[in-house]
Each structure stands twice: as C-alpha cells, then as structure tokens.
C-alpha cells in the first residue's frame, strides 16, 4: 500500500545479555541464533548489548565480569552478527543509560519494585531460611527493573525479545514509561511503550540431565569454548534411558533428540526420529548428533578463537557500536533533562523576574524556536530549530507570512492535532489534511526518535 504502511513497519528490537557467564549451546539455540536471524530481517532495526551494569548486580567477581563480556561479545560476532546492520554495544559505554535510570528511579513507586520476581524470590528464600527478609539484597537487585527500563526506553524499542522470566520486567518498563509520559510528556508520547516478545517456537534446549540447559544446573553443553573433543565428551554425557541397540526408542521422550531437532531441518529430524523408533543405539545416536553439531559449530568456533585472541578488535567493534547508539541517546537525554527541569539557566530567561532573557545573546538562548524566511520564489517558509540548535522541521511554502504564522501557532498550541505520515522514513506533518512541514533529519536518528523529539520540543512552547 502507501509508503506509510511500508515504512511504519520498521521495528526497533532491543535485547541485552547479562555478562556473568560463558555462552553455552542452550544460549545459542534459545537466544543468540534467533536474535541474529531477526536482526537480518529487512524491517528490523536491532539493538543488542552486553548488560554489564546488570552483571554487577549478580556478580562481584571482577575478573569474571571482564572475561564474560569478552566471551559474550566474541560469541555473538562469531555466530554471525552483522554489526553494520545491528547496533551492538556495551551498556557501560553509554553513560546516558545510568543517567536515565536515576531519573526514572525518581518517578517509580517503591511498591512497584517490591513486586519484582527477582527481589521477591530473594525475600522468600530469606524467610524460608529464617534470616532477615532483605538479607543479601543490594539496592542494585532491588532496582534492577528500573535499569532495565532505562536500557529499553533510552532507545525507544518497540519489541524486546526475552525469556518468559523477563516478561514482568518489560511490563514494569511500560509502566515506568507511561508514568513518565503522563507526567512530563504533557499528553504527548515521550517514550515508546515496549512489548515483550516471547517466541514459543524458539528451542529451549534440555541440558545433560534433562532439565533446562542452564549454568546454574551445571548441565550445559559448551558452544565455542574448548575443542571439538570437549563437545563430543559433553554429548556423551547426555542422559538417555537404558534401552539397548535394536530396542525401539521414543524420540519424543529423548533429550538427545530434542537437541538434534533444534539444529536440523524438520525432514532430517524426522528421519532421525524414525531411526530411533527402529532401534538406533544411543551410542550411535550420540555420534550422529556430535557430527551434526560439529559441522555447524566448527566454522564459528574458529572465528571465535580468532576473535578471543584479539580483544582489542572486539573492543573497537563495541566502541563503534556505542558511538552509533549514542547518536540517539545523547540528544534524547537532553530532551529528558529538559523535560524534568534539569535545564540550562540561560534557557529560562522569559520566566525570571529580572529578565535575564533580554541580556542573553541570541546565540545562547536555549529554547526551541520557529524561524521564518523567504524561499527563492519569494514565498514564505519557516523552520523549527531545537534547543540544541539543529533544524528539526522545514515548512512548505506559503503565499503570505500571515498563513505561515497561523500554522506555526497551530503547531505550538495543539501538537496533538498534527497528522504524521511517514514517507521515505521521514515524517510529513499535516494539519486538517493540509501538508504543512516535513522532517529534517540530519542526525539520522530514525523517524520515531525524531518524532518523540519533535513532540517534546513542541511541548516546550505550551509549557511556557
Ligand atoms: N535482565 C535481562 C536478563 O537477565 C538482561 C537485560 C538487561 C535485558 N537489560 C535488558 C534484556 C534490556 C532485555 C532488555 O536476561
């Protein structure tokens, strides 16, 4: 259909990985592979990051945090993440995130945090053990969901792929966003309300013992760490029933088959299942799984080893990703500071009794402003200059300055009436069905961020 429907399908998808461990086969099938696949879809703008501030909540072993950051970054890169497409960065390289986290902390009711599962689980465990309810609970653990909300809201993500255990956190992020929008957004959307994306199709691999593969159960199969032999040795430990070769086996009841199925085409999985039903021995089955996995993993493992030998190269990639991300977070945090009142004093001149404004030179006045000018043909136009001095909006041409002035007034006084249409990734603004102005997007922040920014700037006029 129209450009609008086409363009507005682009979704910002964001997810973080807490850097406390070494990725295993279950992480690959359940999170890394699906995320990378998603980032290659044309209508997805993917943001993936190492949640290393979150790691500090769970882990006070500095060397482990350091090692895990490196391993996880190398894993995602070796697994084929295209960092030209996706924005891949380290949370701790984005200082705007903890800044936003604090600002959000100040408007988040404590009662909401009391309900967080991770915190409640600790309290329950303490109560069961007969110690103080908050024993061992840090403020980091307690406010964990606010930091996570900041991760998500900082980049106005639409979709957040997570495991089911994280759904509550996404709901809290929505709640926090809504409260902020309502209070500071003057009725305009400030933050995009994110949605959890829990993919039931994605494989949750069983571990060696049949429980979910997890570091905390110590039942994992390595991904890129170690050698081909280590992989085979782990596979040899997968628990099976004691049926002998020749006896029919039930694939649906087999961890080994569940793992195999997660790595091959359905037809190949079915053929394997059939062999099991017909009596394939477990030893043979393990060999087949081992060969299959080794074929898939070997080339990635090779890249991983190469990357791990050059940490400075990984660092460079992450810093480039952070730079890309900060193109969004830096201007956006300025909007947010503005919204909550952390403003430069010289920007509030008009409200101060001693009329600071009159004494301030024009250059340093930090309010958004509409600037009128004449185009080449003598028609009248205007542009909107943001508090940071960038041009956000340029109008169409009007036959006389009165009409141009009326449109400026309308934009200032009732931003809610603006109709937004996406054309080639830039918003066009109409009032009462008439095209009035188009976005100027020099910063290439993306249409949604641009829109949030524009609405915030416009809100500053009615706030005056
Ligand atoms: N809490 C998430 C986990 O443990 C990791 C995480 C941190 C995250 N910040 C995020 C996930 C933001 C999604 C979005 O799995």
């Amino acid at each position: 259909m129209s450009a609008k429907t086409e363009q507005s399908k682009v979704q910002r998808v964001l997810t973080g990985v807490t850097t406390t461990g070494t990725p295993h086969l279950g992480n690959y099938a359940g999170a890394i592979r699906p995320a990378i696949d998603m980032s290659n879809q044309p209508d997805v703008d993917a943001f993936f990051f190492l949640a290393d501030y979150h790691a500090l909540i769970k882990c006070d072993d500095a060397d482990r945090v350091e090692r895990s950051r490196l391993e996880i970054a190398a894993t995602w890169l070796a697994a084929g993440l295209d960092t030209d497409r996706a924005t891949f960065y380290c949370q701790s390289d984005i200082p705007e995130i903890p800044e936003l986290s604090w600002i959000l902390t100040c408007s988040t009711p404590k009662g909401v945090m009391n309900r967080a599962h991770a915190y409640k689980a600790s309290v329950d465990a303490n109560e069961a053990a007969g110690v103080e309810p908050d024993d061992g609970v840090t403020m980091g653990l307690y406010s964990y969901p606010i930091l996570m909300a900041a991760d998500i809201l900082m980049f106005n993500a639409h979709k957040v792929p997570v495991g089911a255990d994280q759904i509550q956190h996404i709901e809290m992020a929505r709640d926090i966003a809504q409260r902020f929008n309502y209070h500071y957004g003057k009725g305009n959307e400030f933050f995009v309300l994110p949605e959890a994306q829990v993919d039931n199709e994605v494989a949750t691999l069983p571990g060696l013992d049949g429980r979910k593969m997890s570091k905390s159960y110590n039942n994992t199969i390595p991904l890129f760490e170690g050698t081909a032999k280590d992989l085979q040795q782990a596979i040899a430990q997968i628990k099976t029933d004691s049926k002998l070769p020749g006896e029919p086996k039930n694939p649906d009841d087999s961890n080994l088959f569940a793992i195999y199925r997660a790595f091959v085409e359905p037809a190949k999985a079915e053929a394997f299942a059939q062999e099991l039903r017909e009596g394939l021995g477990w030893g043979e089955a393990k060999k087949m799984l081992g060969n299959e996995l080794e074929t898939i993993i070997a080339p990635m493992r090779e890249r991983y080893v190469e990357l791990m030998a050059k940490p400075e190269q990984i660092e460079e990639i992450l810093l480039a990703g952070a730079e890309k991300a900060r193109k969004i977070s830096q201007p956006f945090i300025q909007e947010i500071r503005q919204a909550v009142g952390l403003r430069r004093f010289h920007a509030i001149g008009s409200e101060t009794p001693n009329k600071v404004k009159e004494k301030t030179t024009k250059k340093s006045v930090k309010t958004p402003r509409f600037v009128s000018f004449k185009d080449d043909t003598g028609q009248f136009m205007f542009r909107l200059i943001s508090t940071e001095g960038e041009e956000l909006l340029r109008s169409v041409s009007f036959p006389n300055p009165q009409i141009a002035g009326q449109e400026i007034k309308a934009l200032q006084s009732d931003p809610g009436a603006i109709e937004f249409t996406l054309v080639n990734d830039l918003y066009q603004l109409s009032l009462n069905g008439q095209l009035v102005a188009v976005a100027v997007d020099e910063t290439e922040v993306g249409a949604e961020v641009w829109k949030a920014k524009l609405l915030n700037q416009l809100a500053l006029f009615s706030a005056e």
Side-chain angles (χ1 to χ4, degrees):
M1 247 182 35
S2 68
K4 180 176 178 174
T5 354
E6 276 303 300
Q7 293 292 337
S8 45
K9 273 198 327 206
V10 173
Q11 295 269 299
R12 179 156 299 154
V13 176
L14 174 146
T15 196
V17 190
T18 307
T19 54
T20 47
T22 306
H24 53 66
L25 195 69
N27 298 136
Y28 176 74
I32 302 169
R33 186 178 61 185
I36 292 178
D37 286 348
M38 176 152 40
S39 72
N40 288 326
Q41 290 172 18
D43 52 354
V44 166
D45 178 19
F47 276 56
F48 299 140
F49 68 97
L50 306 173
D52 51 354
Y53 281 133
H54 278 99
L56 302 185
I57 296 169
K58 293 192 196 160
C59 177
D60 61 4
D61 177 345
D63 293 338
R64 195 163 122 209
V65 171
E66 179 194 24
R67 175 99 194 145
S68 172
R69 289 161 97 221
L70 188 63
E71 287 174 348
I72 294 177
T75 300
W76 282 67
L77 295 170
L81 179 67
D82 177 355
T83 52
D84 287 333
R85 279 188 66 87
T87 305
F88 186 53
Y89 55 97
C90 218
Q91 184 188 32
S92 66
D93 285 330
I94 316 283
E96 293 78 24
I97 291 174
E99 182 169 357
L100 177 58
S101 182
W102 177 255
I103 292 173
L104 298 175
T105 298
C106 296
S107 58
T108 303
K110 175 169 177 284
V112 171
M113 292 300 102
N114 288 340
R115 290 197 289 274
H117 295 321
Y119 168 67
K120 272 198 346 199
S122 296
V123 171
D124 290 349
N126 284 336
E127 276 167 357
V131 296
E132 281 288 305
D134 280 342
D135 194 59
V137 175
T138 63
M139 286 310 295
L141 174 66
Y142 191 67
S143 341
Y144 175 114
I146 308 180
L147 178 57
M148 187 158 156
D151 291 331
I152 299 166
L153 303 181
M154 186 83 259
F155 297 107
N156 272 327
H158 303 98
K159 291 268 155 61
V160 186
V162 283
D165 60 324
Q166 297 290 318
I167 294 175
Q168 189 199 33
H169 293 148
I170 312 301
E171 272 160 17
M172 288 178 165
R174 283 177 76 87
D175 190 64
I176 290 169
Q178 246 162 342
R179 190 172 285 106
F180 192 95
N181 284 346
Y182 180 76
H183 188 76
Y184 292 110
K186 308 260 186 291
N188 295 317
E189 196 168 280
F190 205 107
F191 294 123
V192 167
L193 303 187
E195 271 171 51
Q197 192 171 51
V198 182
D199 192 345
N200 297 319
E201 297 290 293
V202 154
T204 307
L205 293 195
L208 299 174
D209 58 359
R211 291 185 291 174
K212 180 184 171 200
M213 192 181 294
S214 162
K215 188 178 48 153
S216 36
Y217 295 145
N218 200 16
N219 64 356
T220 61
I221 295 175
L223 180 60
F224 303 147
E225 277 294 310
T227 60
K229 198 162 155 232
D230 295 318
L231 177 65
Q232 302 311 324
Q233 277 174 353
I235 290 169
Q237 289 169 40
I238 296 173
K239 224 168 96 187
T240 62
D241 60 29
S242 50
K243 295 212 171 82
L244 298 172
E247 285 186 74
K249 302 172 182 69
N250 179 4
D252 299 326
D253 202 25
S254 158
N255 309 323
L256 194 142
F257 177 65
I259 296 172
Y260 187 90
R261 191 179 47 193
F263 288 92
V264 299
E265 296 294 319
K268 195 161 180 181
E270 183 41 42
F272 188 72
Q274 192 52 30
E275 284 196 64
L276 285 171
R277 286 185 207 106
E278 286 166 7
L280 178 72
W282 286 125
E284 201 51 41
K286 284 180 176 176
K287 241 185 239 153
M288 286 169 70
L289 172 64
N291 289 339
E292 203 60 60
L293 286 181
E294 181 57 23
T295 310
I296 296 167
I297 289 177
M300 297 193 278
R301 186 197 289 121
E302 207 173 295
R303 284 201 292 274
Y304 179 82
V305 171
E306 274 172 34
L307 282 160
M308 287 297 284
K310 290 188 214 131
E312 67 287 349
Q313 197 179 322
I314 298 178
E315 184 92 81
E316 215 170 281
I317 293 171
L318 287 171
L319 287 176
E323 202 181 315
K324 217 158 110 190
R326 292 190 76 196
K327 291 236 161 72
I328 294 174
S329 61
Q330 283 179 308
F332 196 31
I333 201 77
Q334 291 307 325
E335 304 290 314
I336 293 161
R337 292 178 65 108
Q338 183 77 24
V340 299
L342 305 176
R343 302 168 185 155
R344 297 266 72 92
F345 289 139
H346 55 241
I348 55 171
S350 60
E351 280 157 55
T352 51
N354 54 0
K355 296 256 192 297
V356 180
K357 191 179 180 183
E358 281 170 13
K359 293 181 196 149
T360 325
T361 63
K362 220 170 186 175
K363 235 178 16 207
S364 62
V365 174
K366 287 282 172 71
T367 47
R369 49 207 161 101
F370 281 95
V371 180
S372 305
F373 64 100
K374 270 197 203 171
D375 70 11
D376 304 340
T377 66
Q379 300 237 63
F380 297 87
M381 293 178 71
F382 60 82
R383 44 169 74 100
L384 173 61
I385 310 293
S386 75
T387 41
E388 284 96 50
E390 22 162 23
E391 181 177 357
L392 278 179
L393 200 64
R394 189 172 299 190
S395 76
V396 297
S397 300
F398 300 100
N400 64 52
Q402 284 75 27
I403 300 186
Q406 280 164 16
E407 301 294 10
I408 291 176
K409 255 210 189 101
L411 292 174
Q412 287 180 350
S413 58
D414 191 9
I418 302 171
E419 299 132 32
F420 289 93
T421 315
L422 261 183
V423 177
N424 295 332
D425 231 8
L426 287 181
Y427 270 115
Q428 300 196 342
L429 281 64
S430 306
L431 288 169
N432 302 316
Q434 291 288 332
L435 181 63
V436 173
V438 294
V440 178
D441 194 11
E442 312 278 21
T443 54
E444 291 174 353
V445 292
E448 293 314 316
V449 173
W450 178 90
K451 183 176 171 186
K453 188 164 176 175
L454 173 81
L455 289 174
N456 282 300
Q457 293 284 320
L458 292 176
L460 299 175
F461 290 105
S462 44
E464 269 173 7

